[in-house]
Amino acid sequence: KKCFSSAGDLLGMMRRCSALFRGLAREQRAAFSTMPKTIKITYVNTSGDRVTVDGKAGQNLLQVARDHNIDLYGPCNGGGQSVDDYGEGPCCTECRVFIAKEFHDKVNPINGEEIEILDWCEDADENSRLACQVVLSEDCDGMTVALPVWDKESYWNKTD
């Protein structure tokens, strides 16, 4: 039994399928173009060891570190990016990092609450940021982030 009664029927079916697949390909390209771009971030520990990992636009540096098992402590989870959206902002300094100077203008601006919290740190400087508050954009591709020297045990067992 024949599937198509003539070569014209077959040709017509092939044209309809071709048009359908072109439409699907356009939709797939559009979907891929809206996916977050992969961003390379290099974390440097206090020994100078470097590890470069992939992050996505919209993630913060703390999330990227956790996704790749980088030892960056952040018990308050930052409370989100915005105090207005999440009801609380960052409330600790444990995820503090140092951002390379060439990326200062490429990351989201520091807010007053973050500045106030960073004032708690004795060694904070103009490169200091809270990793939970630094949201990645495509401009952050290639950024280097240094982890500060700090000891969780001595921090929590202070007696001053």
Side-chain angles (χ1 to χ4, degrees):
K1 188 173 180 177
K2 293 182 183 178
C3 291
F4 298 99
S5 59
S6 70
D9 288 345
L10 177 61
L11 186 58
M13 176 60 102
M14 289 173 62
R15 285 185 181 139
R16 286 191 295 281
C17 286
S18 178
L20 174 68
F21 287 123
R22 275 195 308 272
L24 288 174
R26 260 192 309 276
E27 288 175 20
Q28 286 177 331
R29 282 193 303 272
F32 281 119
S33 69
T34 60
M35 290 177 67
K37 181 181 182 232
T38 299
I39 299 162
K40 298 285 186 194
I41 304 295
T42 300
Y43 290 87
V44 183
N45 69 15
T46 56
S47 301
D49 300 325
R50 304 166 82 79
V51 61
T52 301
V53 298
D54 292 337
K56 299 273 186 210
Q59 283 188 300
N60 66 45
L61 287 173
L62 181 59
Q63 291 168 325
V64 174
R66 286 180 174 170
D67 287 351
H68 297 282
N69 298 316
I70 294 170
D71 189 21
L72 182 58
Y73 192 53
C76 80
N77 295 316
Q81 293 171 226
S82 166
V83 174
D84 295 332
D85 290 342
Y86 296 95
E88 67 176 274
C91 58
C92 69
T93 61
E94 281 85 344
C95 71
R96 182 174 50 90
V97 294
F98 299 104
I99 304 289
K101 288 182 187 204
E102 61 268 20
F103 287 93
H104 285 197
D105 294 335
K106 296 179 180 182
V107 297
N108 55 306
I110 192 168
N111 64 34
E113 187 174 13
E114 186 179 356
I115 291 169
E116 186 178 315
I117 289 171
L118 286 169
D119 282 344
W120 301 345
C121 301
E122 294 172 5
D123 64 342
D125 63 21
E126 69 275 1
N127 300 318
S128 297
R129 291 293 304 267
L130 298 177
C132 65
Q133 299 299 298
V134 178
V135 180
L136 298 179
S137 69
E138 291 183 13
D139 293 335
C140 296
D141 193 37
M143 181 165 58
T144 300
V145 178
L147 306 178
V149 174
W150 95 238
D151 173 12
K152 290 179 243 190
E153 294 304 315
S154 64
Y155 179 84
W156 288 110
N157 294 316
K158 284 184 185 176
T159 57
D160 44 88

